[in-house]
Amino acid sequence: MNSSVTRGRRPGTPDTRRQILDTARRRFLSNGYRATTVRGVAAEAGVDVALVSYYFGSKSGLFAASVTASANPAGTIARAVEGGLDGLPERVLGGVLALWDDPASGGPLVAMLGSIHDDPAVAERFREMLEHELLARVAMRLRGPDATLRAAAFCTQIAGIVVTRYVLRLRVVAAMSSDDVVRTFAPGLRATLLPSRPAATATRRS
Amino acid sequence: MNSSVTRGRRPGTPDTRRQILDTARRRFLSNGYRATTVRGVAAEAGVDVALVSYYFGSKSGLFAASVTASANPAGTIARAVEGGLDGLPERVLGGVLALWDDPASGGPLVAMLGSIHDDPAVAERFREMLEHELLARVAMRLRGPDATLRAAAFCTQIAGIVVTRYVLRLRVVAAMSSDDVVRTFAPGLRATLLPSRPAATATRRS
């Protein structure tokens, strides 16, 4: 039995953890996901590489934590999905723009997206985040037998905005102001949330 | 003056070109974009590497040609955009599914998308294809001052479907039948094509 409750003598301190995260975020941002190594981060932060593994498990774990340290994608999405369907497209668009337009969080997220083909764990993390944090939460708010499909279409449009604005950088989409983004994409998102079969709506309304 | 019109003695034949493309497509499909080299394709096809460069210029040129040899993305999109706004979402969705659901064309396209961060020429090629073949053609068919923004939103939704169905493989989206895709995504695409300001529609209709 190790006396894990003994005070002191823990591997590192909250400050150490923060310092690793700051270093990691800076390196992911400037060098990209693939060129950043756990070993390099440890060296620059002046800690043993085993300490980084202890805290974060793996490179993708370190990455996720370093993004989350400056932004909270899951929290942002959860807040946006709260509060009724009426302004849902606008709230989610606002959250997406807040996360991705800010270089501190958007830069690492773009770097992370770029590594999807190199690191299956990263693809899995994005898929998980979209499925659990956005798709499932939106689906719970919709009525009708195809609620999951419509929630999936909603997520797909959000994913499309991220890809064309921040990764492919389609000129028209990358140049849009926040207002343009909301004005341009809200109608499509709203149409997606409605039941696709008018009969179902009519039944509920009559 | 080289006698370029002299018969015969050309570097390779149409059969050689086809053979290079078949080899390239097979290697891109099985090894992915990054691991496939022009040199390796030349060796397997039994031709000099200079001949591959002569025909296709670069790796991304070889790639584009090897995809186009089995499918014609630009032609598929052009046909889909022809013929009025009414069935436009359905026709474009049909074209996208035909291209990407078929492993012969979809496999290489997914491999190509995965290399966007490694090869800026590939990102540029996707951006160009979306901007010139889809966005510009759709924008020409729309009325109103924000036609380009709405066409961009249309393209963004198409890009989103490609990403969630074929790259991220969100389970719900990847599992949809062709009919599900059309039924689920057409309403959002249609809403995006309409002028966002009801006043403009009212004026034209009254």
Side-chain angles (χ1 to χ4, degrees):
Chain A
M1 310 274 174
N2 290 325
S3 57
S4 58
V5 292
T6 309
R7 298 169 104 199
R9 301 297 298 164
R10 295 190 314 157
T13 66
D15 279 355
T16 312
R17 188 174 187 284
R18 160 65 56 181
Q19 193 182 338
I20 294 169
L21 285 177
D22 286 346
T23 307
R25 190 163 58 251
R26 197 169 53 249
R27 289 176 76 104
F28 280 124
L29 193 51
S30 57
N31 305 338
Y33 182 86
R34 194 173 342 127
T36 299
T37 62
V38 169
R39 190 168 299 277
V41 169
E44 188 181 329
V47 302
D48 192 274
V49 68
L51 187 60
V52 181
S53 299
Y54 171 84
Y55 275 133
F56 306 104
S58 63
K59 179 166 151 181
S60 67
L62 174 62
F63 186 90
S66 73
V67 172
T68 310
S70 65
N72 182 352
T76 302
I77 291 171
R79 277 193 306 278
V81 178
E82 292 300 322
L85 286 178
D86 259 3
L88 183 64
E90 288 80 1
R91 292 197 307 276
V92 171
L93 287 173
V96 167
L97 292 173
L99 275 177
W100 291 81
D101 277 349
D102 179 354
S105 50
L109 282 167
V110 170
M112 194 177 182
L113 261 186
S115 70
I116 277 181
H117 273 73
D118 303 317
D119 189 341
V122 171
E124 184 57 32
R125 200 172 285 275
F126 265 102
R127 185 166 41 234
E128 261 180 22
M129 198 168 81
L130 264 173
E131 287 180 347
H132 293 274
E133 305 297 340
L134 189 56
L135 200 160
R137 287 171 194 271
V138 171
M140 281 192 307
R141 279 171 172 64
L142 302 180
R143 302 288 174 113
D146 55 356
T148 302
L149 294 189
R150 286 178 280 133
F154 186 92
C155 285
T156 293
Q157 291 186 37
I158 296 295
I161 294 169
V162 168
V163 166
T164 57
R165 184 172 171 91
Y166 304 105
V167 181
L168 278 181
R169 295 186 180 280
L170 279 196
R171 279 168 294 193
V172 176
V173 182
M176 284 181 188
S177 67
S178 308
D179 285 352
D180 280 344
V181 170
V182 173
R183 192 165 52 82
T184 306
F185 289 101
L189 288 166
R190 203 181 327 280
T192 296
L193 295 177
L194 299 173
S196 57
R197 293 170 196 170
T201 315
T203 306
R204 290 184 57 221
R205 281 191 182 158
S206 61
Chain B
M1 311 276 173
N2 289 324
S3 55
S4 59
V5 292
T6 309
R7 296 169 107 197
R9 303 295 297 163
R10 297 188 314 155
T13 65
D15 278 354
T16 313
R17 189 175 187 281
R18 159 66 52 183
Q19 192 180 341
I20 295 169
L21 285 177
D22 286 347
T23 307
R25 190 163 57 253
R26 196 169 53 247
R27 289 176 77 101
F28 280 124
L29 193 53
S30 58
N31 305 338
Y33 181 87
R34 190 166 351 121
T36 300
T37 62
V38 169
R39 188 167 301 276
V41 170
E44 188 180 329
V47 302
D48 193 274
V49 68
L51 187 61
V52 180
S53 299
Y54 171 85
Y55 275 132
F56 306 104
S58 62
K59 179 167 151 179
S60 66
L62 174 63
F63 186 89
S66 73
V67 173
T68 310
S70 65
N72 182 353
T76 302
I77 291 171
R79 277 193 305 279
V81 178
E82 292 300 322
L85 285 179
D86 258 5
L88 183 64
E90 288 81 0
R91 291 197 307 276
V92 171
L93 287 172
V96 167
L97 292 173
L99 274 177
W100 292 82
D101 276 349
D102 179 355
S105 50
L109 282 166
V110 170
M112 194 178 183
L113 261 185
S115 70
I116 275 182
H117 273 72
D118 303 317
D119 189 341
V122 172
E124 184 58 31
R125 199 172 284 275
F126 265 102
R127 185 166 41 233
E128 262 179 24
M129 197 168 85
L130 263 174
E131 287 181 348
H132 294 274
E133 306 297 339
L134 188 57
L135 199 159
R137 288 172 193 270
V138 171
M140 282 193 305
R141 278 169 173 66
L142 302 179
R143 303 288 173 112
D146 55 354
T148 302
L149 294 189
R150 284 178 281 135
F154 186 91
C155 286
T156 293
Q157 290 186 36
I158 297 295
I161 294 168
V162 168
V163 166
T164 56
R165 184 171 171 91
Y166 304 104
V167 181
L168 277 181
R169 296 185 180 279
L170 280 196
R171 278 167 294 193
V172 176
V173 182
M176 285 181 189
S177 67
S178 308
D179 285 351
D180 280 343
V181 170
V182 172
R183 191 165 53 82
T184 305
F185 289 101
L189 288 165
R190 203 181 327 281
T192 296
L193 294 176
L194 300 173
S196 57
R197 291 166 198 173
T201 315
T203 306
R204 291 185 56 222
R205 282 192 180 157
S206 64

